[in-house]
Amino acid sequence: MEDALPTYFLSHGGGPWPFMKEQYGSTYDVLEASLADIPRQVGVRPNAVLVVSGHWEEREFTLSSSAAPGMIYDYGGFPSHTYQVKYPAPGAPQLAARAAILLAQAGFNAGLDPNRGFDHGTFSMLYPVYPQADVPVVQLSLRHGFNPQAHVDAGRALAPLRGEGVLIIGSGLSYHNLHQFGPGGRLASHKFDDWLRFALLELAPSERTGALLHWDQAPYARMAHPREEHLMPLLVAYGAAEHEAAACVYHEDEFFGSLAVSSFRFGQARQP
C-alpha cells in the first residue's frame, strides 16, 4: 500500500496529563516529544484520525458519529481545571459510516453512536499530536470480551482507510496495572515490554500475528494487563498493517521511576 498512511499504537499516558505540566514536571517529556513527532513521520495532514480508544467498550464495535463530539472526563481526583479542558476537533460522520460499512462487510455488527464524545484516551493522546484540534476525529470502541482475533480482524477490515488519508491510531498503554504502577510493576513491565518489542520488531509477520493472538502466554502478561482493554487497541492498529514493518517510536525504562513502556508504528514513515 504505497500511498497508505502508517498506523500506530500509542501510549495515552495517565488521565489529563498534557494539562497538568505544573503537577507532573518532566514526567511526560519523553512521551510528549514522541507524540509531537508523529506529524513529521506521517508526512501529510491526514483527512481524519480514527482512534481506537482503550476507554470505550461496547457489545459490538461502535463508532462515534457526531459532527461535533463533546468531552468525556473519564477520570477522577484530578485538579478542577482538568474537567474544563476542551479538544474541539470536529467529528467525521461520513468516515464513521464508511468504517461501519467496512466492518459490516467483514462480518461485524458495527454500530454508530451520535452521542459519544472524546474520552481521555483520545484527547490526552491527540493534544500533543495535533494541538490545534483541526483534524477530524472518529473514535472506535473495543468489542466487549476482548477477543484478540476479532480485534485483529477489525483492523484488517479497516485497512482500506489508510489509502484514503485516514490515520488509524490505537490508544492504550503497553503496561496497565494500576495496582502496580510504580516499583512493584518493574519486573512485569520490563519482562512484558521485552516480549512485546521482540514480537513486533523481530518476528516474521506470520509468527508475529500468532504471538499477538496469544499475548496472554507472554511473560508476566496478566501482571502487565490484568484486564486487557489498554492492549486491545494495539491489535486493531496492527491488523490494519499486518504485513508491514514495525518500529518502536517511544520507549522508556523508568517511566514513573520504574516502568518499561513503549509505542509502535506499523508501516513506513512518510516524512517529507
Side-chain angles (χ1 to χ4, degrees):
M1 298 178 69
E2 182 177 346
D3 295 328
L5 299 184
T7 72
Y8 287 86
F9 171 65
L10 301 176
S11 170
H12 61 237
W17 64 269
F19 310 96
M20 297 177 60
K21 295 294 184 67
E22 292 185 6
Q23 290 85 353
Y24 281 126
S26 62
T27 300
Y28 284 99
D29 283 0
V30 179
L31 174 60
E32 184 173 28
S34 74
L35 294 172
D37 189 55
I38 288 173
R40 179 193 66 82
Q41 297 175 33
V42 174
V44 297
R45 182 182 182 276
N47 293 327
V49 181
L50 178 66
V51 178
V52 187
S53 173
H55 284 268
W56 187 18
E57 303 166 30
E58 296 287 350
R59 183 177 297 274
E60 302 291 348
F61 289 114
T62 306
L63 295 121
S64 63
S65 58
S66 171
M71 300 288 288
I72 299 175
Y73 305 110
D74 53 340
Y75 41 74
F78 289 93
S80 59
H81 76 271
T82 64
Y83 299 89
Q84 306 296 324
V85 299
K86 302 294 183 185
Y87 189 75
Q94 290 183 331
L95 170 59
R98 164 81 169 132
I101 290 171
L102 290 173
L103 290 167
Q105 289 173 343
F108 294 107
N109 295 318
L112 299 175
D113 185 343
N115 299 314
R116 180 73 187 188
F118 297 143
D119 59 55
H120 84 265
T122 292
F123 69 78
S124 289
M125 178 273 296
L126 280 180
Y127 181 75
V129 182
Y130 297 113
Q132 301 303 314
D134 56 353
V135 178
V137 178
V138 169
Q139 277 196 189
L140 171 66
S141 77
L142 302 174
R143 194 174 83 166
H144 188 65
F146 306 133
N147 179 275
Q149 186 70 66
H151 288 80
V152 171
D153 287 345
R156 291 168 175 163
L158 296 169
L161 298 177
R162 298 174 54 210
E164 300 169 15
V166 177
L167 180 62
I168 298 175
I169 297 177
S171 175
L173 291 167
S174 59
Y175 173 84
H176 193 255
N177 184 339
L178 296 183
H179 296 292
Q180 297 288 341
F181 211 80
R186 176 182 292 275
L187 180 61
S189 71
H190 281 255
K191 291 294 187 181
F192 185 76
D193 195 84
D194 286 346
W195 173 85
L196 188 61
R197 284 188 290 149
F198 173 78
L200 293 178
L201 305 178
E202 303 295 334
L203 292 180
S206 58
E207 296 175 305
R208 188 171 61 177
T209 300
L212 288 178
L213 291 177
H214 299 284
W215 71 271
D216 57 349
Q217 298 177 18
Y220 293 84
R222 281 298 178 184
M223 293 184 69
H225 291 279
R227 191 173 187 274
E228 58 265 44
E229 79 282 353
H230 277 68
L231 187 67
M232 286 299 104
L234 163 64
L235 274 66
V236 181
Y238 169 77
E242 183 176 10
H243 299 292
E244 298 184 44
C248 184
V249 295
Y250 162 69
H251 177 76
E252 292 191 65
D253 280 324
E254 302 292 334
F255 185 60
F256 273 82
S258 56
L259 303 175
V261 289
S262 296
S263 296
F264 300 91
R265 184 186 70 238
F266 304 102
Q268 295 299 317
R270 295 164 40 113
Q271 59 261 47

